Amino acid sequence: MLMTKQRQPAIRTLRGWAINVLNEAGAIRECEKHGWMQDRADPHARERAFDIARRDPPADVSRQEAEAAVRDVLDSIGDTCPECPSD
């Protein structure tokens, strides 16, 4: 029986890895119209992202560096899209 395995996206930077972890954990989302990352402000999703960073950091990256990368991404994005009109 032929079985295929879904390929993981190629992550080239630590920041890209952190964005991917946050997205998979549900801590961030993308603006449907403009593509900007938005913080969902979900504390449980954030904690899942930090757990992933501690448990499974990228090769040659310490747990502390992985956790710091996730924190840096969270600190760099807001909860609204800068291009969407405010209500």
Side-chain angles (χ1 to χ4, degrees):
M1 179 188 314
L2 178 63
M3 296 179 72
T4 60
K5 186 176 180 180
Q6 184 178 3
R7 297 182 79 188
Q8 293 290 336
I11 305 297
R12 299 181 194 272
T13 65
L14 185 57
R15 179 176 171 79
W17 172 84
I19 290 169
N20 187 52
V21 167
L22 287 163
N23 194 33
E24 285 184 6
I28 62 174
R29 64 186 169 108
E30 186 176 316
C31 171
E32 294 176 4
K33 292 182 181 179
H34 305 105
W36 289 90
M37 289 184 296
Q38 297 173 296
D39 187 348
R40 292 189 57 239
D42 180 347
H44 300 291
R46 283 178 174 217
E47 191 55 40
R48 282 192 302 271
F50 284 115
D51 287 342
I52 292 169
R54 289 182 208 110
R55 187 180 62 239
D56 192 22
D60 300 328
V61 175
S62 72
R63 291 177 177 179
Q64 294 81 11
E65 290 173 315
E67 189 174 347
V70 169
R71 185 171 291 108
D72 287 346
V73 170
L74 281 172
D75 289 345
S76 71
I77 61 175
D79 59 354
T80 59
C81 173
E83 292 185 43
C84 287
S86 58
D87 294 333

